[in-house]
Amino acid sequence: MLGLRRDRLLILLLLGALLSADLYFHLWPQVRRRLARAGAHGPGCSCPAEEAAAAAAAWPPSTEPWTRLPEQRSTQTAGSKLRRLFSHPLYSAPEGPAEKLLSGQEALRYYRRKVARWNRRHKIYREERNLTSDSITQLRQEASWLQFHLGINRYALYPRSSPPIDQLLRDTQNFGTISADYSQDEKALLGACDCTQIVKPSGVHLKLVLRFQDFGKAMFKPMRQKRDEETPEDFFYFVDFQRHNAEIAAFHLDRILDFRRVPPVVGRMINVTKEILEVTKNEILQSVFFVSPASNVCFFAKCPYMCKTEYAVCGNPHLLEGSLSVFLPSLNLAPRISIPNPWIRSYTFAGKEEWEVNPLYCNTVKEIYPYSSGTRLLNIIDMAIFDFLIGNMDRHHYEMFTKFGDDGFLLHLDNARGFGKHSHDEISILAPLEQCCIIKKTTLLRLQLLAQPAYKLSDIMRESLLEDRLAPVLTEPHLLALDRRLQIILKAVEECIEANGEDNVVVDAEPLETDAFDRMTQPS
């Protein structure tokens, strides 16, 4: 009994101590503050505004950071250089109505037929293999990839402010795959590839077409080279690796330059077992999967380009990093034409093209249709500026939508050979600009803006690339190389202006007459 009484006494003492602490630390300070306010304003005074002013005046000097808080808030709001760039008048000017690439109703009918045909073939495939049936794929009109296709117009692949593009990037990063296959060009080369060749056919890269649960498609390019590896000095541009991170960075740079000619690209970790092997119906693709000695799941291309297992790509053990480039509309809906670049390079170990030995080569180009008038040559120069910034020497062709005719924009596709050497600036890529000495006024204004400290190109790119799941996409030396190359471009334009006059070099992107080209391309 004595022990029980002692326990009760201890409990009572503990409760009393807790109550005293609560009274001292919580209730008494509140009573003291109320008494102080009553004494300051007199009995019965309730003046919230005066109380707030008095509190602010009485704030101790040690709270100096509070006095900087409004500035800090403003900095946070305006601290995003990317947001400020896209709010600049050069980027925020309203875009007028433009001719659309696709008819909405025609596109919906076409894709509904494609979905129905895919469901039929998928059902037959599963029945033949006694596989359990899964859900039927349906076409949703609000699907982000479909909205992207419907938004393509005469001037760009997407408008400056385009919520569907932001949603498309998220969907491409998150949606599960329902099929995987080789690309069409790889299928065309099956059985025709000579693995003894020193120089493989164009597109030396293992790439796959992945289809997602919303029926959208993207080209998957797996990681072949680490970010901090530079292209070996002895590599020719046509045997160089293709880099998945270059595809991602090229999309962001294209948007920052306001060209909007690169289809949306995101980085993603792909489970090669679940998202490729288990969903592909291609038996050849199934047959090239194997488990490496390190217990990683790997696969390779069977004869197209990379013919041996040493060229395989491997997961870790299943996850593989890569880029996903969203597909453009079907060629049946939106035909495209592929045109050789006038400044195409020689794809041999020796030999040079005419433009490499003739500084007046542009005079020849401007006499050839369609470069003799219109905006085609100006668009070629835009493309050369873009390629110089990313270090891409492999622009042998360019594509255009046939619907928009000769003055349509050029598609900046296949940028995986960019960002190979941050320590080297390949000046020859700028040959169209240096030889023709013309540039769009809007292009020049944006380049000048991106050279200013407030809109520094490397800072804008760094911030933009942080939005990608595989960030950091580029190493710091590659980002800094962008600033250096931008200054080289501006210096080339300045030299052209000194030689030919600003009116002859900086032109509006309106159709140009032949006599204007004559003035612009005279040798200095």
Side-chain angles (χ1 to χ4, degrees):
M1 294 295 292
L2 183 60
L4 291 174
R5 289 176 183 175
R6 187 178 299 166
D7 291 342
R8 288 176 182 176
L9 180 61
L10 289 172
I11 292 171
L12 288 172
L13 288 172
L14 180 61
L15 291 173
L18 291 173
L19 179 61
S20 301
D22 188 60
L23 286 170
Y24 181 79
F25 289 107
H26 295 283
L27 295 179
W28 172 241
Q30 293 182 26
V31 171
R32 190 170 54 185
R33 281 196 296 271
R34 290 191 180 187
L35 290 174
R37 284 200 296 268
H41 299 296
C45 179
S46 177
C47 311
E50 293 179 17
E51 289 174 11
W59 195 262
S62 62
T63 56
E64 184 185 353
W66 173 262
T67 63
R68 294 198 298 264
L69 185 59
E71 180 183 344
Q72 289 174 349
R73 283 175 178 166
S74 173
T75 302
Q76 288 173 0
T77 303
S80 167
K81 289 188 177 183
L82 185 65
R83 281 197 203 123
R84 275 189 284 142
L85 179 75
F86 290 152
S87 299
H88 191 277
L90 278 172
Y91 290 81
S92 59
E95 298 179 274
E99 180 185 7
K100 296 289 186 181
L101 176 67
L102 300 180
S103 161
Q105 293 303 316
E106 180 186 357
L108 284 172
R109 285 195 299 269
Y110 175 82
Y111 285 125
R112 284 192 183 110
R113 289 196 300 268
K114 285 200 71 170
V115 170
R117 185 163 56 248
W118 191 90
N119 281 325
R120 287 195 302 271
R121 291 177 177 174
H122 185 63
K123 181 181 178 182
I124 293 170
Y125 174 83
R126 300 189 73 82
E127 287 176 350
E128 288 176 347
R129 287 157 180 77
N130 294 321
L131 301 174
T132 56
S133 60
D134 51 6
S135 59
I136 296 175
T137 301
Q138 294 182 338
L139 179 69
R140 295 183 301 108
Q141 189 168 344
E142 66 273 15
S144 56
W145 67 267
L146 181 55
Q147 292 303 310
F148 162 54
H149 287 184
L150 295 176
I152 300 173
N153 63 42
R154 167 174 287 277
Y155 303 112
L157 286 175
Y158 51 90
R160 291 193 184 108
S161 176
S162 180
I165 295 298
D166 297 330
Q167 185 61 48
L168 177 58
L169 297 176
R170 290 191 292 269
D171 291 346
T172 308
Q173 285 180 325
N174 297 314
F175 278 167
T177 60
I178 59 174
S179 74
D181 204 351
Y182 288 124
S183 63
Q184 288 300 322
D185 57 347
E186 287 175 305
K187 287 181 179 180
L189 285 168
L190 271 174
C193 173
D194 179 5
C195 295
T196 63
Q197 292 182 93
I198 297 174
V199 182
K200 305 295 190 297
S202 61
V204 183
H205 198 70
L206 197 164
K207 49 188 181 286
L208 299 175
V209 178
L210 303 185
R211 189 178 289 280
F212 303 109
Q213 63 196 57
D214 67 342
F215 208 67
K217 281 199 307 184
M219 182 73 75
F220 175 64
K221 294 187 178 181
M223 181 176 73
R224 308 284 311 201
Q225 184 173 316
K226 294 180 180 178
R227 287 159 178 70
D228 57 353
E229 291 182 73
E230 278 206 273
T231 300
E233 292 182 358
D234 291 329
F235 268 34
F236 287 88
Y237 45 86
F238 47 81
V239 295
D240 187 13
F241 281 119
Q242 293 200 17
R243 287 163 285 275
H244 71 298
N245 61 317
E247 290 280 15
I248 302 167
F251 163 68
H252 285 259
L253 178 62
D254 175 82
R255 184 176 57 176
I256 288 168
L257 294 172
D258 200 42
F259 290 153
R260 292 169 284 144
R261 299 166 197 169
V262 175
V265 184
V266 296
R268 175 168 167 173
M269 300 294 290
I270 291 290
N271 186 313
V272 296
T273 302
K274 293 183 177 297
E275 297 182 280
I276 297 177
L277 178 59
E278 293 181 2
V279 298
T280 185
K281 304 180 186 68
N282 189 316
E283 294 180 356
I284 296 177
L285 179 55
Q286 293 171 352
S287 70
V288 296
F289 273 79
F290 64 95
V291 178
S292 74
S295 300
N296 293 324
V297 179
C298 309
F299 66 99
F300 61 98
K302 193 159 186 176
C303 200
Y305 322 140
M306 304 300 189
C307 311
K308 303 175 183 178
T309 56
E310 56 260 40
Y311 295 123
V313 292
C314 299
N316 184 27
H318 298 276
L319 292 179
L320 176 62
E321 181 178 317
S323 65
L324 287 167
S325 304
V326 176
F327 265 61
L328 293 172
S330 167
L331 292 174
N332 294 322
L333 269 181
R336 303 194 301 271
I337 185 172
S338 179
I339 304 168
N341 185 352
W343 280 266
I344 190 172
R345 294 179 180 272
S346 172
Y347 281 76
T348 61
F349 291 130
K352 292 186 176 181
E353 295 291 327
E354 184 185 348
W355 65 267
E356 297 179 90
V357 296
N358 179 11
L360 301 180
Y361 175 74
C362 189
N363 288 332
T364 303
V365 173
K366 69 183 181 67
E367 294 175 356
I368 303 170
Y369 177 84
Y371 307 104
S372 54
S373 62
T375 59
R376 184 73 64 88
L377 189 55
L378 289 167
N379 289 335
I380 289 283
I381 290 168
D382 277 351
M383 185 172 64
I385 289 170
F386 173 72
D387 283 337
F388 177 71
L389 286 170
I390 69 175
N392 176 29
M393 299 172 64
D394 192 37
R395 189 73 65 185
H396 45 80
H397 285 72
Y398 61 87
E399 293 189 29
M400 300 175 63
F401 292 112
T402 57
K403 178 175 181 177
F404 299 137
D406 292 335
D407 292 327
F409 63 91
L410 313 187
L411 292 163
H412 297 170
L413 305 177
D414 295 332
N415 303 297
R417 285 205 169 110
F419 297 104
K421 294 181 181 178
H422 58 73
S423 58
H424 174 70
D425 303 324
E426 184 55 51
I427 303 298
S428 65
I429 302 174
L430 278 183
L433 172 63
E434 293 182 328
Q435 293 179 357
C436 298
C437 267
I438 55 172
I439 187 173
K440 288 181 185 176
K441 183 177 182 179
T442 52
T443 299
L444 179 59
L445 288 173
R446 292 189 183 98
L447 293 175
Q448 290 171 336
L449 181 67
L450 292 167
Q452 295 180 13
Y455 300 96
K456 194 175 181 182
L457 179 56
S458 60
D459 293 340
I460 299 284
M461 271 289 285
R462 188 182 296 108
E463 181 183 344
S464 184
L465 290 172
L466 283 175
E467 298 173 359
D468 193 85
R469 191 167 290 175
L470 298 184
V473 175
L474 292 178
T475 60
E476 196 64 18
H478 278 297
L479 291 169
L480 297 178
L482 290 171
D483 296 326
R484 183 178 70 242
R485 291 167 186 166
L486 176 57
Q487 291 301 324
I488 293 173
I489 295 169
L490 293 175
K491 188 175 187 301
V493 174
E494 183 181 347
E495 290 175 353
C496 284
I497 291 174
E498 289 177 358
N500 300 290
E502 184 173 349
D503 291 342
N504 292 328
V505 174
V506 184
V507 297
D508 289 328
E510 297 295 329
L512 301 172
E513 300 301 327
T514 305
D515 56 344
F517 279 92
D518 289 334
R519 294 194 306 274
M520 295 170 195
T521 56
Q522 289 299 322
S524 57

PDB file of all heavy atoms in Angstrom, residues 224 290 300 307-313:
ATOM      1  N   ARG A 224      24.695   6.109 -75.028  1.00  0.00           N
ATOM      2  CA  ARG A 224      25.863   5.426 -75.561  1.00  0.00           C
ATOM      3  C   ARG A 224      27.156   6.052 -75.063  1.00  0.00           C
ATOM      4  O   ARG A 224      28.214   5.455 -75.211  1.00  0.00           O
ATOM      5  CB  ARG A 224      25.869   5.495 -77.101  1.00  0.00           C
ATOM      6  CG  ARG A 224      24.626   5.044 -77.796  1.00  0.00           C
ATOM      7  CD  ARG A 224      24.449   3.559 -77.854  1.00  0.00           C
ATOM      8  NE  ARG A 224      25.590   2.812 -78.311  1.00  0.00           N
ATOM      9  CZ  ARG A 224      25.494   1.574 -78.815  1.00  0.00           C
ATOM     10  NH1 ARG A 224      24.312   0.988 -78.908  1.00  0.00           N
ATOM     11  NH2 ARG A 224      26.551   0.922 -79.181  1.00  0.00           N
ATOM     12  N   PHE A 290      19.743 -10.278 -74.079  1.00  0.00           N
ATOM     13  CA  PHE A 290      20.542 -11.259 -73.346  1.00  0.00           C
ATOM     14  C   PHE A 290      20.931 -10.661 -72.002  1.00  0.00           C
ATOM     15  O   PHE A 290      20.755  -9.459 -71.769  1.00  0.00           O
ATOM     16  CB  PHE A 290      21.788 -11.653 -74.154  1.00  0.00           C
ATOM     17  CG  PHE A 290      22.757 -10.524 -74.391  1.00  0.00           C
ATOM     18  CD1 PHE A 290      23.844 -10.324 -73.551  1.00  0.00           C
ATOM     19  CD2 PHE A 290      22.579  -9.645 -75.463  1.00  0.00           C
ATOM     20  CE1 PHE A 290      24.732  -9.283 -73.779  1.00  0.00           C
ATOM     21  CE2 PHE A 290      23.469  -8.603 -75.691  1.00  0.00           C
ATOM     22  CZ  PHE A 290      24.547  -8.413 -74.842  1.00  0.00           C
ATOM     23  N   PHE A 300      20.782  -5.537 -78.620  1.00  0.00           N
ATOM     24  CA  PHE A 300      21.517  -4.892 -79.696  1.00  0.00           C
ATOM     25  C   PHE A 300      20.690  -4.979 -80.965  1.00  0.00           C
ATOM     26  O   PHE A 300      19.664  -5.664 -81.017  1.00  0.00           O
ATOM     27  CB  PHE A 300      22.895  -5.529 -79.891  1.00  0.00           C
ATOM     28  CG  PHE A 300      22.857  -6.987 -80.259  1.00  0.00           C
ATOM     29  CD1 PHE A 300      22.971  -7.395 -81.578  1.00  0.00           C
ATOM     30  CD2 PHE A 300      22.724  -7.959 -79.278  1.00  0.00           C
ATOM     31  CE1 PHE A 300      22.941  -8.736 -81.925  1.00  0.00           C
ATOM     32  CE2 PHE A 300      22.692  -9.305 -79.601  1.00  0.00           C
ATOM     33  CZ  PHE A 300      22.792  -9.696 -80.931  1.00  0.00           C
ATOM     34  N   CYS A 307      26.262  -4.539 -85.244  1.00  0.00           N
ATOM     35  CA  CYS A 307      25.991  -5.930 -85.603  1.00  0.00           C
ATOM     36  C   CYS A 307      26.405  -6.938 -84.556  1.00  0.00           C
ATOM     37  O   CYS A 307      26.134  -8.124 -84.707  1.00  0.00           O
ATOM     38  CB  CYS A 307      26.702  -6.260 -86.911  1.00  0.00           C
ATOM     39  SG  CYS A 307      26.404  -5.042 -88.210  1.00  0.00           S
ATOM     40  N   LYS A 308      27.106  -6.533 -83.520  1.00  0.00           N
ATOM     41  CA  LYS A 308      27.663  -7.493 -82.583  1.00  0.00           C
ATOM     42  C   LYS A 308      27.262  -7.146 -81.160  1.00  0.00           C
ATOM     43  O   LYS A 308      26.883  -6.017 -80.862  1.00  0.00           O
ATOM     44  CB  LYS A 308      29.192  -7.518 -82.712  1.00  0.00           C
ATOM     45  CG  LYS A 308      29.682  -7.849 -84.119  1.00  0.00           C
ATOM     46  CD  LYS A 308      31.192  -7.733 -84.207  1.00  0.00           C
ATOM     47  CE  LYS A 308      31.678  -7.986 -85.625  1.00  0.00           C
ATOM     48  NZ  LYS A 308      33.144  -7.836 -85.756  1.00  0.00           N
ATOM     49  N   THR A 309      27.394  -8.133 -80.277  1.00  0.00           N
ATOM     50  CA  THR A 309      26.968  -7.915 -78.895  1.00  0.00           C
ATOM     51  C   THR A 309      27.826  -6.872 -78.191  1.00  0.00           C
ATOM     52  O   THR A 309      27.388  -6.277 -77.206  1.00  0.00           O
ATOM     53  CB  THR A 309      27.014  -9.231 -78.103  1.00  0.00           C
ATOM     54  OG1 THR A 309      28.346  -9.780 -78.202  1.00  0.00           O
ATOM     55  CG2 THR A 309      26.011 -10.225 -78.631  1.00  0.00           C
ATOM     56  N   GLU A 310      29.063  -6.652 -78.656  1.00  0.00           N
ATOM     57  CA  GLU A 310      29.862  -5.622 -77.999  1.00  0.00           C
ATOM     58  C   GLU A 310      29.315  -4.227 -78.245  1.00  0.00           C
ATOM     59  O   GLU A 310      29.719  -3.271 -77.595  1.00  0.00           O
ATOM     60  CB  GLU A 310      31.339  -5.690 -78.419  1.00  0.00           C
ATOM     61  CG  GLU A 310      31.578  -5.592 -79.905  1.00  0.00           C
ATOM     62  CD  GLU A 310      31.809  -6.969 -80.526  1.00  0.00           C
ATOM     63  OE1 GLU A 310      31.110  -7.930 -80.131  1.00  0.00           O
ATOM     64  OE2 GLU A 310      32.682  -7.072 -81.390  1.00  0.00           O
ATOM     65  N   TYR A 311      28.398  -4.077 -79.213  1.00  0.00           N
ATOM     66  CA  TYR A 311      27.761  -2.794 -79.457  1.00  0.00           C
ATOM     67  C   TYR A 311      26.416  -2.679 -78.730  1.00  0.00           C
ATOM     68  O   TYR A 311      25.670  -1.740 -78.963  1.00  0.00           O
ATOM     69  CB  TYR A 311      27.525  -2.583 -80.951  1.00  0.00           C
ATOM     70  CG  TYR A 311      28.796  -2.477 -81.761  1.00  0.00           C
ATOM     71  CD1 TYR A 311      29.043  -3.330 -82.828  1.00  0.00           C
ATOM     72  CD2 TYR A 311      29.746  -1.506 -81.456  1.00  0.00           C
ATOM     73  CE1 TYR A 311      30.207  -3.224 -83.583  1.00  0.00           C
ATOM     74  CE2 TYR A 311      30.913  -1.389 -82.194  1.00  0.00           C
ATOM     75  CZ  TYR A 311      31.138  -2.257 -83.257  1.00  0.00           C
ATOM     76  OH  TYR A 311      32.290  -2.149 -83.993  1.00  0.00           O
ATOM     77  N   ALA A 312      26.127  -3.653 -77.882  1.00  0.00           N
ATOM     78  CA  ALA A 312      24.828  -3.663 -77.208  1.00  0.00           C
ATOM     79  C   ALA A 312      24.735  -2.526 -76.190  1.00  0.00           C
ATOM     80  O   ALA A 312      25.741  -1.954 -75.764  1.00  0.00           O
ATOM     81  CB  ALA A 312      24.622  -5.000 -76.508  1.00  0.00           C
ATOM     82  N   VAL A 313      23.491  -2.223 -75.808  1.00  0.00           N
ATOM     83  CA  VAL A 313      23.250  -1.309 -74.698  1.00  0.00           C
ATOM     84  C   VAL A 313      22.655  -2.130 -73.564  1.00  0.00           C
ATOM     85  O   VAL A 313      21.903  -3.076 -73.796  1.00  0.00           O
ATOM     86  CB  VAL A 313      22.308  -0.155 -75.096  1.00  0.00           C
ATOM     87  CG1 VAL A 313      22.981   0.770 -76.079  1.00  0.00           C
ATOM     88  CG2 VAL A 313      21.002  -0.674 -75.668  1.00  0.00           C
TER      89      VAL A 313
END
